[in-house]
Structures are given as structure tokens and as C-alpha cells.
Amino acid sequence: MKLTVNGTEHEVEVDPNMPLLWVLRDEIGLTGTKYGCGIAQCGACTVHVDGQAVRSCQVAIGDLNGDVTTIEGIGNPETLHAVQESWVEHQVAQCGYCQSGQIMQAASMLEFNPDPSDDVIDAVMSGNLCRCGTYPRIRAAVKTAAAKIREA
Amino acid sequence: MGIVSSITRRTFLIGSSAIAGGVAFGIFAARQEPENPLVATLEEGEATFNPWVLIDSEKVTLIAPHGDKGQGVLSTQAALIAEEMDLDWGDFDVSFGEPSGAYWNRGFAEEGVPFMSTDDSRMAETMRGIVGGITKLAQVQGTGGSTSMPDSYVKLREAGAMARETLKAAASAKTGVPVSDLKTEIGKVILPDGSELKYTDLAADAADITPIKDTPLRDPSEWKYLGKPMERLDIVAKSTGTMMYGADLSVDGMKFATVCVNPRQGGEMLGFDATAAEALPGVEKVFPITNGVAAVASNTWYAIQAVRAVEFDWGPAPYPAEQDAHWTALENSFGEENLDSEWRNDGDVTTVEGEKVEAEYRSPYVAHAPLEPMNAIVKVTDDGVEIWTGHQMPIFLTQQVAAVAGIEPEQVTFHNQFMGGSFGHRLEFEHIKQAVEVAMEMKGTPVKMTYSREEDFAHDFPRHISMGRCTGVHADGKVVGLDVAVSSPSVLASQGGRLGQGLPGPDSQIAAGAWNNPYGFDNYRMRAYRAPELAPVSSWRAVGANGAGFIFDTILDETIHAAGADPLEERIRLMDHEPSRIALETVGEMSSWGGELAPNQGRGVAYVESFGVPTAQVVQVTNDDGFIKIDKVWIALDVGRVLDPVNFENLVQGGVVFGLGHAMNSEITYSDGMALQTNYHAHEAMRLYQTPEIFVRGLENQPKMRGVGEPPVPVAAPSLGNAIFAATGQRIREMPFNKYVDFV
Ligand code: FES
Ligand code: FES
């Protein structure tokens, strides 16, 4: 099976029912995408498929239909994505385990709507659980990121 | 106040074996300094002055032995050293270090003594010293009880000062310039002529110099980093997916595994059939371990699919199968024979005249459920065991691993990792022991064992349940007496029992949050009853104060309302501890308490002391057509000194979210011996849409340094319940509150 992740093509030999999450983590070795629940409840596994935020624990690799972007693909410590830059500025992370998913969800939202209302932010980001409770900073960082993206 | 007469009756966290070692010898031996573990691996040209600083010609490495589960202590420990050592922020490596008695936790002594944290009498301080000695002797290295900063605050600055002065001495020896003419700045010694010697260039010289001790510490007014916003050292990695947690690490030749153990915790496995599991793709091996089965595969998902395909015959739970029976056990424990301790008996609450308010309260089991599920990589060879995981108790971990593998603790190499949360679950060892069992079966091959979320919920060791029976007495518009009785199983006995440690005295955590408040009631009785052990339970962020603090503050609030007094003013009137009174006054001022509210709005205030931190909170809710919405929260806490204001605010806000979210929405209940809640859909605590605005104020009026990981949590439930009462007239006496009201 072939898939394109962050612009690179990979070939994997796995059960077509295997979720994309586990292909990324244990086959390709991209561990920025996290396992939290496996049942679409936490959002830790959020990646983009053709730009859309999806829960990679819910996409069977055999059904994958598009190019995958993971947290490693939108920026890196030297060149941060606008959303990552805002996350650093606001020092959002505590344990940080949920934050790849939060950032991928926010990045995709802002791609489609760079000026989301508070209600839209609440609605879109509420699928991503943060057990450490960094929500006040997530709200603030999303707004900073939105402003950066609008100005860019 | 009910002060202690005899030490033997009382609780010591570290258990009876340490006490039996003898206090006199303990104090003598405890004066010796443990060995610096960095010396053993020192190479030519490297210098170490104490267990926290290592320098070679390339770099400075700081050891931050307190584990980081999200609270940011890796960064703050480094800042304490860097402040005195004059390092450039971030221009050094930080390691969690190896397990060592040198990293014994002084902060545990505070919580191990049966004195109120506000008690600085000679007796209390003496006992703290003795328990500190035992903690050192027993080599209790660990992270918990919000002790990282109390433990580190002085000693890590001293470590930094020692390193700085020794490096200056080395520079002086090398250049002939007297030490008094040398300065230090961003990792360098500066000579009077302006020339500079990097610390790294002085490492080889410094290695031969006896470390210079007893340098006075700098006054906080001179601090460059501490007390000011700092960029957390882990923040970029955690914003780019590049932070490697235990779950993410990879070791050469590693295989993937998971386990499925009897979901009736502690119950046996009577039999299993793995025929179907073994036939699944990617599966290498399926085999029994203690009370369950493990699967090793080429991918974690294959392993999870495999254990799901196993047919099990599970034995019964070693505790009541149905939740109702757990509550009945608590109801039946309010008798003399179960009295664990009478913690307070001031005045005489049984004879005080006035009108009475009586009420019963319940606090449920709740899961820790950190987002990173339990995991560990283990490699077993003839030489010993190597293990990679994030854990709060490094030395105990090596002992537990050694016991399973049948080797000595010295043959265990432990690499501690950043943790994707813990909330107390990473004090436990079950998953560690299982990972070792798996790796023993796969000898020579490193195996990464990861729990499925369902396994993690089934084996969470939740927060203990507790129940309160209380009477408040009021007269002339004032509270004149409180009688608080709490019954719960002992979390310390449950946790210690799994380590083979008994609990020689009462369990302070049955009463925490209720006995240790510094109110000056004329008549106050607080009795703790120990229910039999039920489901296995473990310390859950802030531990006992979550239940008993809710019980205590709610009966107080009910009595204040019945007296017709103002909830904030009456608490302030009753308070007999200056920093606590200031905390109450501060939330009053922050929230403009007493100001106009809409008719469908209400506010509640609560005060709970947790791990030495006086904490006051006001919550404002709106009753929106029968749906409760939390609008705003104001919280003030006194930690002695705020070391990193940004991280402090983040941690406190997170604590508020954690406390409120579980008080509103979450519980673990048992049926057929199993936790009914198997994943986050049934135990989600708070999500973003329910999160209120949270305003935080750190206060610095108390004399001691305190930690802030846990203290913000226990005030959440009572302040929210009190606010809902103010808005609706409905008093909620049981968590989670969503059993009684709907939230927006
Ligand atoms: S792991 Fe996919 S949503 Fe939780
Ligand atoms: S930062 Fe820990 S789960 Fe979000």
C-alpha cells in the first residue's frame, strides 16, 4: 500500500484495516501524532488529509484517499507554522501530549476560516481533549494565530 | 487545635519499615551526605560539584530529578540552578538523571507529619526534621505531593552557587586573579580586563578543586530568571510534535506489545483461549502473564487486536462487584470501631446551643486517565534490565522491576522520560511489572508495551470514594460549631500495600481538606473513619482534599446560608490564619464580591488548604433556562513565592479545569466487578466549550515555599456547588453534579 505523508511517498505492507494512526506511528515512525483513545473522542491523533482535519485513529489505511500531513509536516522547531508560533508565545502546553492534535485541528480550522468567532472556536476545538486543562491558553493562542494568518 | 501527642499513633507516608529502622540511628546516619551519582561515570576532563551539575568541555548538564508530567518542573528546577550559576537560559542540557538516594525528597517530610502546614511550632518542625532524616535514609526519591519546589527551592540554588564559586576558584587558580575580582555571566567567568573564560573551558581545572560550599544565596531582588516569565525549556518541542514521550521512543530491534489483564482489578485469570488471536496478522506471540495475557506484534494495533480476540475466563473481583455495596461499606463505617483518628476536637460541638443543619455528602471514584496511556519499553538481558518510561518514583521503580526479574535493583537501568500527564497514575507499578513480564518472555528483544485506552481505564486505580456526615450549628447569624465526620477507604494503605508497605498510623488523606483548615471555630470536631479496602485506589491529584474538602466547605456554606450570613464575610470572620484570610479577601476583591448580578446568576466561594497552600476561589454561574453555565472563576493561592508566573498561571488554570470538570461530569462506578467507564466518552471531565474565564492571583505572604500542582483542584467542587445553590436554591451534595443539574 502506498501513501504520501508530508510530501514523501511511503510503501507499507499492513492489514488494510489498520488505522492511519498506527501506520504513522509504528510503521513509518512519525510519532508526533498521538494515540489517546482510539475511538474519536480525544483528538490527539488529528492529522490533515488533503488539508482537512481528520482523526487518524478512524481512517483505515485501506480507505485512505488523499495526501496526509502530520504535525511534523506543518513546521519544525527551526521554522514554526503560525499556529505553532502562537502556541509557543502563549506557552500553551503542560504535558503537551494533546497539543499535536490541538495544533492540527486549529491549523485546519484557520485555513478555512481565518477569523473564527468565539463560538466557532469553542465548537471546533471541543473535540480535542486536554487532560491538563490548557483550554484558556488554547483559546488565546488560536486568536493570536488567526491574527497572524490574516496579516500574512 | 487538635495537636498530636504521640508520634507512633500517626501517619508516616513512607511506611512502617522505615520507622522500624530506628529514629536515633536514623538521625545520625541521615547527617551523612549520600554519594553523588555523577561521580561514578565521570570521564577525564569532566567536573561535577554536586549531584545536580555536570560540566565537560562541550556543555553544561543540569540534573532535574523531579519528574515532569506536565507541571513544568524540568524547566523550573533548571532555572533554580541557572539563576545562581549565571547560565544563559537554555544554553545547557537538562536530564532527569538516574535513580539515586542523593535525590531524596525533603518535601515529603512536610506531608508525612501529622501537623497542620500552618503549624511552625518547635514540635512540628522537629518532627519534620526526623521524618526528613528517614526519607533520606530510605532514599525516597520521588515526585508528588506538590513537593518539587519545596524540595528544590534552596538546594538547587545552593547547587548552582556551589558550581559558580568553584568555577571561579578554578579560574583564579588558572589566571592568578583573586576570586574577589572575578565575576560570572551567562556561562562564563569574567576577568577584570574583560576577558572571558567559558565554564566549559574550566571544567578540567575545576574537577580538581574541592567544591566551595556555604556561599550565601542571592537576594530575590537580584534574580534574573526566577519570578519572571521564562520560556519553558520544553515548549517548542511540545508545540512541534518533536517531544518524545515514553510512548514515542524507539529502541533498536524493538517489538510492540499490549496486555489485557482481568478488568476486575486484582482478580485472577482462570483460563484463556488465544487460538483466534494467534492467527491474526502481525502477531508474533500471545502468552499469559499475571492475571492476564500479553500479545507481542510488529505494530501496537496488531497487539491490541490480538488481545481483543482472546477468549478469557476471568475470576471474581476481590472487592464488592456492585457500586451500591461500596457505598454501603462507607455508610457502615461511621462507628467507633472504625474511627481512624479524631483530628480536631476544639470546644464542644455536642453541647453548643443553636440551630442545626445536617447533611450527608458523597465523593465518587474518579479516573486519572492521563492522555498518554501507560507504557514502558523494557529490555531484559543476562546482565539485567533496561527500562524506558516516565515515572514519579525512580528508586521504587528499580526495586519493583528487580523483584519481578529476580535480580538486584543495581542491575536495573532506568531512563526516566517526559510524561504525557499522570495526575497520580504514574506513581503505580502494575503496568511496569507487566511490561517486565512481557520482556522476560522476549529475552534479548526490547519490547514497547502500551495500554489501550480501555485497559488504562480498567486499571486506573481511581481516586478513593468518600462520604461525609456533618452537622453545622448557627446562632445569632453566625456559625458557632461544625461537626464533620468523613468515612473512606485508605488510599495510602491501598497504594502502600501494593509496595509491601503498611500504614502504621491513621491515614491523613481521609481527613485532608477537612481537618487541616486554619479556621478558628470555637467548636469544631473532625473525625475520620476508615472503611474497609474496596476497589484498589491511588493518589489522584490533591488526593484526600478532593472529597473531604468538598464535604467540609459545603457544610460550612450550608450553615452560613442557614445563619443568613454572607458566605465570604463569614469565612473571613472565622479565619484564624493571616495568609488564608488574605487569600479570601483577594478573591473577594478580584471578583467584586457583593456586586450586582442578574437574577439568574449566582456566586459561590470556597476555601480549602491543600499541600500547605491556602486556596480561595469564587465561581460565578448563570442558570440559563435550567442549564448551568460557568461564567467566571477567580482563584487566589499563596505558595510563598511564585517562581515562574506564566507557568504558574497555566498550572492553576489547568487545576481549575481539572477540578471543575470532574466535579461536574465524571465518576467511575463498578458493576460486575468492572469499571463501567471504559473510555473518555463516559469520563470526559471538561472540554473547551464548558471552560469559563479563569482569573489567577499568586500570593506570597506565607513563609514557606510551596508547590502548585495540586492545590488548585480541591476548591473547585465546593465553590461550584455553592454557586449553583446561590443561583438556583438547589444544594448538590454529591459529585458528579450532572446527576442533579444539566450543564450548558
Ligand atoms: S486517538 Fe483518535 S481521537 Fe483519540
Ligand atoms: S497539555 Fe496535557 S493533555 Fe493537553
Side-chain angles (χ1 to χ4, degrees):
Chain A
M1 249 167 295
K2 286 198 170 102
L3 71 159
T4 304
V5 184
N6 303 331
T8 306
E9 198 169 287
H10 296 268
E11 176 131 29
V12 292
E13 293 277 324
V14 296
D15 181 336
N17 290 314
M18 181 180 285
L20 171 61
L21 167 66
W22 293 109
V23 174
L24 293 170
R25 287 184 57 81
D26 288 1
E27 303 293 327
I28 298 177
L30 287 170
T31 55
T33 307
K34 306 299 183 195
Y35 165 66
C37 69
I39 59 163
Q41 287 293 307
C42 77
C45 65
T46 306
V47 300
H48 298 171
V49 175
D50 288 343
Q52 283 275 5
V54 299
R55 307 290 185 238
S56 64
C57 71
Q58 298 302 307
V59 179
I61 188 69
D63 297 338
L64 177 66
N65 186 353
D67 288 355
V68 179
T69 308
T70 68
I71 183 80
E72 292 93 342
I74 65 163
N76 57 57
E78 286 71 45
T79 324
L80 298 170
H81 182 277
V83 174
Q84 294 173 318
E85 220 172 76
S86 309
W87 247 248
V88 170
E89 275 168 37
H90 286 273
Q91 303 219 43
V92 173
Q94 287 185 32
C95 86
Y97 194 80
C98 72
Q99 301 297 348
S100 296
Q102 306 276 7
I103 288 167
M104 293 306 281
Q105 185 66 53
S108 150
M109 169 177 68
L110 296 175
E111 185 72 34
F112 293 101
N113 177 2
D115 196 7
S117 66
D118 289 0
D119 286 348
V120 166
I121 294 173
D122 276 17
V124 174
M125 299 303 295
S126 278
N128 290 70
L129 211 56
C130 176
R131 291 291 291 156
C132 300
T134 62
Y135 302 126
R137 291 189 129 65
I138 289 174
R139 271 191 186 129
V142 165
K143 289 187 179 175
T144 302
K148 282 181 201 276
I149 288 169
R150 285 197 305 270
E151 279 158 26
Chain B
M1 278 174 199
I3 288 280
V4 187
S5 46
S6 133
I7 67 163
T8 50
R9 273 187 63 232
R10 297 297 174 170
T11 305
F12 294 96
L13 280 178
I14 49 183
S16 53
S17 50
I19 304 276
V23 167
F25 169 74
I27 288 178
F28 171 72
R31 290 218 179 101
Q32 319 284 322
E33 280 310 312
E35 263 175 43
N36 176 354
L38 303 180
V39 172
T41 53
L42 216 53
E43 295 189 12
E44 183 69 31
E46 289 184 337
T48 175
F49 317 113
N50 53 54
W52 299 276
V53 181
L54 181 70
I55 304 180
D56 63 19
S57 61
E58 301 285 308
K59 63 180 187 288
V60 174
T61 303
L62 307 181
I63 311 297
H66 284 281
D68 203 316
K69 35 209 184 344
Q71 78 284 41
V73 289
L74 176 109
S75 234
T76 321
Q77 288 173 95
L80 287 163
I81 304 173
E83 181 67 63
E84 284 286 342
M85 203 174 154
D86 289 329
L87 294 174
D88 199 7
W89 186 240
D91 192 18
F92 46 79
D93 284 357
V94 192
S95 156
F96 292 117
E98 58 178 90
S100 167
Y103 304 123
W104 67 279
N105 185 340
R106 289 154 214 242
F108 282 155
E110 284 284 327
E111 278 303 314
V113 298
F115 294 92
M116 299 211 337
S117 64
T118 47
D119 182 354
D120 50 9
S121 66
R122 194 151 155 228
M123 175 73 175
E125 290 295 321
T126 306
M127 282 304 300
R128 287 183 187 117
I130 291 172
V131 176
I134 297 167
T135 314
K136 183 175 178 182
L137 271 185
Q139 304 202 330
V140 186
Q141 179 194 357
T143 307
S146 297
T147 56
S148 296
M149 287 306 110
D151 177 43
S152 307
Y153 180 55
V154 172
K155 82 181 178 190
L156 292 193
R157 284 183 298 143
E158 282 176 354
M162 189 191 289
R164 180 193 75 222
E165 289 306 310
T166 311
L167 287 159
K168 276 162 71 180
S172 172
K174 190 170 182 149
T175 60
V177 177
V179 168
S180 55
D181 292 344
L182 297 174
K183 286 193 305 189
T184 49
E185 240 169 54
I186 54 169
K188 299 166 193 160
V189 177
I190 317 284
L191 275 59
D193 66 1
S195 57
E196 302 172 340
L197 287 165
K198 285 203 234 157
Y199 289 170
T200 43
D201 293 338
L202 289 164
D205 305 275
D208 299 328
I209 293 183
T210 310
I212 294 172
K213 294 188 183 174
D214 301 325
T215 310
L217 295 177
R218 287 175 177 155
D219 188 82
S221 61
E222 296 171 51
W223 286 348
K224 290 200 233 16
Y225 301 130
L226 299 171
K228 305 185 170 62
M230 289 174 264
E231 185 172 300
R232 264 174 70 153
L233 297 168
D234 54 0
I235 207 74
V236 172
K238 286 178 175 177
S239 307
T240 50
T242 52
M243 171 59 75
M244 298 296 269
Y245 302 86
D248 302 328
L249 288 179
S250 191
V251 174
D252 267 351
M254 183 178 85
K255 303 235 152 105
F256 302 89
T258 198
V259 300
C260 183
V261 169
N262 191 339
R264 300 180 183 117
Q265 263 192 296
E268 283 177 64
M269 180 172 70
L270 304 175
F272 75 100
D273 179 356
T275 319
E278 280 161 343
L280 289 173
V283 177
E284 180 164 327
K285 202 167 180 183
V286 183
F287 52 90
I289 59 166
T290 305
N291 297 343
V293 157
V296 175
S298 60
N299 185 302
T300 307
W301 183 76
Y302 287 140
I304 293 174
Q305 297 308 106
V307 296
R308 284 186 181 153
V310 174
E311 281 182 42
F312 291 104
D313 182 7
W314 297 129
Y319 48 83
E322 301 302 320
Q323 183 64 36
D324 282 354
H326 295 231
W327 289 117
T328 307
L330 265 58
E331 284 167 11
N332 292 340
S333 297
F334 287 95
E336 269 315 297
E337 63 291 354
N338 289 84
L339 184 66
D340 198 46
S341 182
E342 182 169 276
W343 290 89
R344 294 270 288 266
N345 195 2
D346 312 335
D348 188 352
V349 78
T350 60
T351 56
V352 60
E353 301 271 327
E355 300 222 20
K356 289 200 166 108
V357 179
E358 288 184 0
E360 190 173 285
Y361 305 91
R362 288 179 184 206
S363 167
Y365 290 117
V366 185
H368 307 83
L371 202 56
E372 180 197 13
M374 297 299 111
N375 62 76
I377 301 173
V378 183
K379 183 178 182 186
V380 176
T381 61
D382 285 336
D383 300 330
V385 175
E386 199 167 358
I387 172 163
W388 295 259
T389 190
H391 204 274
Q392 296 179 236
M393 304 298 288
I395 292 181
F396 286 174
L397 180 140
T398 60
Q399 292 165 351
Q400 294 289 315
V401 169
V404 174
I407 56 174
E408 296 302 316
E410 296 71 44
Q411 293 170 274
V412 178
T413 309
F414 170 45
H415 309 277
N416 210 356
Q417 305 297 321
F418 274 93
M419 296 172 241
S422 170
F423 316 114
H425 196 168
R426 289 187 160 91
L427 291 162
E428 290 292 336
F429 300 94
E430 290 300 303
H431 61 287
I432 303 288
K433 295 197 279 192
Q434 291 158 358
V436 175
E437 278 193 63
V438 174
M440 284 168 71
E441 184 78 21
M442 303 294 295
K443 197 164 172 186
T445 303
V447 183
K448 173 151 74 179
M449 192 287 288
T450 308
Y451 270 6
S452 67
R453 176 55 57 192
E454 289 77 11
E455 189 70 10
D456 201 273
F457 262 93
H459 294 275
D460 187 86
F461 301 98
R463 182 180 83 197
H464 58 284
I465 48 173
S466 59
M467 200 171 150
R469 284 188 178 155
C470 308
T471 306
V473 191
H474 62 94
D476 303 325
K478 294 184 172 110
V479 177
V480 294
L482 276 189
D483 189 9
V484 174
V486 176
S487 116
S488 84
S490 166
V491 59
L492 296 184
S494 183
Q495 227 174 314
R498 290 189 286 281
L499 280 174
Q501 289 180 352
L503 182 68
D507 180 352
S508 61
Q509 295 306 315
I510 299 175
W515 84 277
N516 51 325
N517 63 75
Y519 284 110
F521 299 110
D522 291 334
N523 303 286
Y524 181 43
R525 182 163 66 170
M526 199 282 134
R527 291 174 297 176
Y529 295 90
R530 198 193 286 199
E533 283 193 45
L534 300 165
V537 287
S538 190
S539 295
W540 187 94
R541 194 174 182 181
V543 203
N546 293 299
F550 165 63
I551 292 164
F552 168 78
D553 189 87
T554 311
I555 185 64
L556 175 60
D557 201 70
E558 293 205 43
T559 314
I560 292 173
H561 278 282
D566 177 83
L568 179 63
E569 280 168 23
E570 184 64 355
R571 281 179 177 80
I572 291 171
R573 184 188 73 80
L574 288 163
M575 185 52 78
D576 194 23
H577 177 241
E578 192 60 16
S580 298
R581 183 169 31 244
I582 295 171
L584 281 164
E585 286 165 356
T586 304
V587 285
E589 171 238 309
M590 287 166 74
S591 64
S592 308
W593 180 268
E596 281 286 304
L597 293 177
N600 61 341
Q601 288 183 318
R603 280 177 171 188
V605 60
Y607 167 92
V608 180
E609 191 262 53
S610 169
F611 293 100
V613 179
T615 307
Q617 178 163 296
V618 170
V619 169
Q620 179 180 310
V621 301
T622 299
N623 179 6
D624 194 357
D625 271 337
F627 286 86
I628 301 291
K629 177 176 187 300
I630 308 179
D631 305 319
K632 288 180 181 170
V633 173
W634 299 267
I635 180 168
L637 323 80
D638 196 329
V639 292
R641 200 169 274 284
V642 176
L643 295 175
D644 179 347
V646 174
N647 191 40
F648 179 88
E649 183 188 70
N650 195 356
L651 266 191
V652 173
Q653 288 176 329
V656 170
V657 167
F658 198 76
L660 291 175
H662 291 93
M664 293 157 69
N665 298 325
S666 296
E667 68 177 333
I668 293 289
T669 50
Y670 291 89
S671 181
D672 195 17
M674 294 178 263
L676 281 173
Q677 295 73 17
T678 56
N679 205 319
Y680 291 120
H681 64 287
H683 188 289
E684 63 180 0
M686 196 173 264
R687 289 183 181 271
L688 190 89
Y689 73 97
Q690 289 188 319
T691 304
E693 273 189 274
I694 303 166
F695 304 92
V696 177
R697 185 88 55 88
L699 300 171
E700 302 185 324
N701 301 306
Q702 72 156 316
K704 289 198 172 157
M705 184 67 213
R706 300 295 184 183
V708 76
E710 294 166 279
V713 180
V715 277
S719 52
L720 175 60
N722 297 344
I724 293 171
F725 175 76
T728 66
Q730 184 181 358
R731 183 56 78 174
I732 307 177
R733 300 190 178 94
E734 180 180 9
M735 295 184 265
F737 295 168
N738 67 1
K739 284 178 148 176
Y740 301 94
V741 288
D742 293 319
F743 289 95
V744 167

